């Protein structure tokens, strides 16, 4: 049996109905923007392998730093111990974040980074005996698949089996152009109740919700309202961090800075699982006490894994190179140019772009959902052309590694134009 057949016999894949799914494609090699399967077929990774890969697959510099760390220290318990790469990475991440961020807490993935932020926010008020227990989130949000992260995510078939176990959250509309004032009004009303402890959001770009985009100005206004009412703000930058929006963080577009950040995905350049939650000194100090019960009781076996931290530091080295930002600006310009060619197309409901993210929403009767047949039609069309593009229902998006060439971008754009012409 080949790898795909052996996989079928033993593996349970994420977000996959295993009864009807075909064999998973067995990828045996990655290089730059390319993936190679066991039959030797090459694919262009147009979605950065679930939005994690920034500098390209099997980057030699990152691989070198991982190998060096493996022969020095592979892991050590992070309670009562530390190591050089954890300290270096924390220092360097804080240098990139807004000045109000002062402390770094390590965990393993985006969902747990969000989970940590939510728990910090809850315990921040609990430690001070302030009865602020309500959380506000945006409709259609996706923050991860652990229970706290699911609770602050939009309700959907993904969360329905667990609905009775999720804590209550107040959801307000995403403040897009059509409903900015309504969203602000609902936020204001909820804040005036005095019992809101935190407001969580994906800044400027809701990823899994359909690549929904909204303005920095309206988010600034929302954060300002929260600050006025002494409510903690949590920026889930798991997807939007590390250059995706054209700046290092989406929050770099804002005047008012969030109190807590959740970061993962591009943190290691897509090489290893690692995440961080950062917070202000004010949040951190609420946990300092002679009373040990005010400790933040959260941790993971592989917290601040040295190899993952070394890889993340190597990725940050690459972000210091002007070539990386030239590539980000190049992709942004190419996306803008292609998007302009699609303006006014009656087959499209919307075309939106932010930084290196291009989203094309098709004008169909089916919604932005994983469960419609149109989504499968899009996926199959591009896979047959050797392009890895994983649509969100009727929303096709392009979110490539920064090393992707202009020729490969042109191939993607040409295939999209062909799909619009032939398949709709």
């Amino acid at each position: 049996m080949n790898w795909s057949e052996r996989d079928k016999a033993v593996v349970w894949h994420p977000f996959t109905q295993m009864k009807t799914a075909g064999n998973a494609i067995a990828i045996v090699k990655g290089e730059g923007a390319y993936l190679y399967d066991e039959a030797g077929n090459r694919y262009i990774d147009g979605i950065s392998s679930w939005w994690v890969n920034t500098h390209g697959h099997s980057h030699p510099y990152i691989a070198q730093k991982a190998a060096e760390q493996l022969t020095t220290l592979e892991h050590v318990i992070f309670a009562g111990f530390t190591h050089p790469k954890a300290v270096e990475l924390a220092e360097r991440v804080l240098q990139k974040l807004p000045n109000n961020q002062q402390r770094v807490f390590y965990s393993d993935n985006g969902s747990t980074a969000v989970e940590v932020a939510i728990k910090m926010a809850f315990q921040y008020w609990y430690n001070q005996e302030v009865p602020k227990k309500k959380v506000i989130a945006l409709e259609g949000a996706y923050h991860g698949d652990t229970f706290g992260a699911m609770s602050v995510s939009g309700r959907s078939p993904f969360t329905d089996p667990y609905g009775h176990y999720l804590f209550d959250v107040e959801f307000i509309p995403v403040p897009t152009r059509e409903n900015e004032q309504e969203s602000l009004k609902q936020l204001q009303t909820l804040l005036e109740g005095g019992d809101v402890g935190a407001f969580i959001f994906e800044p400027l770009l809701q990823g899994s919700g359909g690549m929904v985009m909204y303005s920095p100005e309206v988010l600034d206004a929302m954060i300002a309202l929260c600050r006025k009412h002494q409510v903690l703000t949590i920026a889930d930058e798991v997807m939007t961090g590390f250059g995706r929006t054209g700046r290092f963080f989406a929050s770099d577009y804002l005047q008012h800075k969030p109190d807590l950040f959740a970061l993962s995905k591009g943190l290691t350049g897509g090489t290893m699982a690692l995440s961080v939650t950062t917070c202000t000194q004010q949040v951190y100090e609420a946990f300092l006490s002679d009373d040990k019960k005010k400790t933040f009781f959260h941790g993971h076996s592989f917290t601040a894994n040295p190899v993952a931290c070394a890889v993340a530091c190597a990725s940050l080295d690459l972000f210091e190179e002007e070539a990386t930002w030239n590539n980000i600006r190049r992709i942004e310009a190419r996306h803008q140019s292609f998007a302009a060619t699609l303006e006014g197309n009656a087959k499209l409901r919307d075309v939106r772009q932010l930084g290196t993210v291009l989203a094309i929403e098709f004008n169909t009767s089916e919604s932005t959902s994983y469960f419609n047949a149109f989504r499968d039609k899009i996926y199959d069309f591009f896979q047959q052309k050797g392009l890895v593009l994983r649509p969100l229902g009727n929303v096709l998006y392009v979110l490539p590694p920064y090393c992707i060439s202009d020729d490969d971008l042109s191939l993607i754009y040409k295939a999209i134009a062909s799909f619009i012409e032939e398949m709709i």
Side-chain angles (χ1 to χ4, degrees):
M1 288 193 296
N2 60 26
W3 289 112
S4 290
E5 292 166 341
R6 291 168 66 177
D7 172 278
K8 188 75 170 180
V10 295
V11 177
W12 190 346
H13 286 271
F15 297 102
T16 301
Q17 177 44 257
M18 298 301 292
K19 181 176 181 179
T20 57
N23 286 1
I25 297 170
I27 299 299
V28 298
K29 178 183 176 182
E31 184 177 10
Y34 303 128
L35 298 168
Y36 297 85
D37 69 18
E38 60 187 329
N41 299 308
R42 190 184 78 175
Y43 303 84
I44 299 173
D45 187 354
I47 59 168
S48 299
S49 289
W50 249 342
W51 319 342
V52 302
N53 192 286
T54 53
H55 309 294
H57 294 280
S58 303
H59 195 286
Y61 179 73
I62 293 178
Q64 173 194 340
K65 293 302 181 181
E68 290 173 2
Q69 186 61 46
L70 277 167
T71 59
T72 305
L73 174 67
E74 88 298 345
H75 189 60
V76 63
I77 182 175
F78 207 61
F81 292 85
T82 190
H83 58 84
K85 285 300 177 183
V87 177
E88 178 188 343
L89 179 57
E91 291 172 344
R92 294 179 68 177
V93 167
L94 290 176
Q95 286 171 5
K96 297 295 184 183
L97 285 165
N99 291 335
N100 69 337
Q101 298 300 291
Q102 296 294 317
R103 294 285 168 168
V104 173
F105 191 95
Y106 286 101
S107 57
D108 302 296
N109 59 70
S111 183
T112 54
V114 169
E115 201 88 7
V116 167
I118 295 168
K119 289 178 68 175
M120 282 181 176
F122 284 161
Q123 193 174 343
Y124 172 83
W125 298 114
Y126 177 87
N127 281 1
Q128 300 175 84
E129 299 182 359
V130 177
K132 288 192 169 191
K133 300 179 180 180
K134 188 173 291 184
V135 180
I136 301 173
L138 298 178
E139 293 173 355
Y142 174 79
H143 294 289
D145 299 317
T146 51
F147 271 85
M150 279 196 297
S151 293
V152 295
S153 297
R155 299 297 182 260
S156 72
F158 291 86
T159 60
D160 285 347
Y162 322 104
H164 291 298
Y165 307 101
L166 305 180
F167 58 76
D168 290 336
V169 172
E170 298 286 350
F171 291 97
I172 62 175
V174 184
T176 56
R177 290 188 302 269
E178 296 76 17
N179 59 11
E180 284 185 356
Q181 293 308 310
E182 176 60 25
S183 184
L184 282 167
K185 181 180 178 181
Q186 289 191 30
L187 177 63
Q188 174 74 45
T189 300
L190 289 168
L191 293 174
E192 288 174 352
D195 56 351
V196 176
F199 171 44
I200 185 169
F201 49 85
E202 299 162 86
L204 310 189
L205 173 62
Q206 283 193 314
S208 294
M211 298 296 169
V212 178
M213 301 177 186
Y214 59 102
S215 76
E217 291 76 17
V218 70
L219 183 54
D220 257 328
M222 298 175 102
I223 295 173
L225 279 174
C226 289
R227 191 139 298 149
K228 176 182 177 182
H229 291 274
Q230 295 184 308
V231 170
L232 295 176
T233 51
I234 303 171
D236 176 354
E237 292 235 27
V238 169
M239 175 205 174
T240 55
F242 304 97
R244 290 297 180 196
T245 65
R247 299 190 184 181
F248 212 99
F249 297 109
S251 298
D252 291 342
Y253 289 93
L254 304 174
Q255 298 298 313
H256 297 283
K257 306 303 182 181
D259 299 296
L260 299 103
F261 281 76
L263 308 174
S264 189
K265 290 195 183 292
L267 176 62
T268 66
T271 303
M272 293 187 69
L274 182 70
S275 64
V276 299
T277 304
T278 70
C279 68
T280 62
Q281 188 69 13
Q282 180 179 344
V283 170
Y284 174 72
E285 288 181 355
F287 294 80
L288 304 182
S289 174
D290 293 326
D291 181 359
K292 289 189 176 181
K293 293 179 182 178
K294 292 188 176 182
T295 301
F296 185 55
F297 293 109
H298 189 104
H300 303 271
S301 300
F302 287 93
T303 293
N305 173 259
V307 184
C309 289
V311 162
C313 288
S315 177
L316 289 178
D317 289 344
L318 296 175
F319 275 110
E320 296 300 327
E321 297 181 1
E322 187 62 24
T324 299
W325 291 97
N326 287 340
N327 280 332
I328 289 171
R329 289 187 284 268
R330 174 178 56 84
I331 295 167
E332 184 173 15
R334 291 297 308 278
H335 279 354
Q336 289 172 347
S337 179
F338 178 63
T341 69
L342 302 177
E343 287 183 6
N345 192 312
K347 297 176 181 178
L348 305 178
R349 186 172 299 161
D350 189 29
V351 179
R352 42 192 182 266
Q353 177 267 329
L354 178 62
T356 65
V357 183
L358 171 68
I360 299 163
E361 185 171 352
F362 293 99
N363 194 10
T364 69
S365 58
E366 296 179 280
S367 64
T368 305
S369 166
Y370 277 87
F371 304 104
N372 64 56
F374 186 71
R375 178 261 174 209
D376 296 335
K377 184 184 294 185
I378 301 174
Y379 181 76
D380 293 342
F381 178 90
F382 290 101
Q383 184 174 298
Q384 290 168 12
K385 292 183 177 294
L387 304 175
V388 180
L389 296 175
R390 186 180 172 88
L392 299 160
N394 67 334
V395 177
L396 175 66
Y397 67 91
V398 185
L399 194 160
Y402 304 145
C403 64
I404 193 170
S405 69
D406 280 341
D407 287 344
D408 287 338
L409 282 173
S410 294
L411 282 173
I412 292 173
Y413 299 150
K414 183 178 179 180
I416 293 172
S418 175
F419 180 81
I420 294 171
E421 182 178 348
E422 297 175 20
M423 303 295 289
I424 306 299

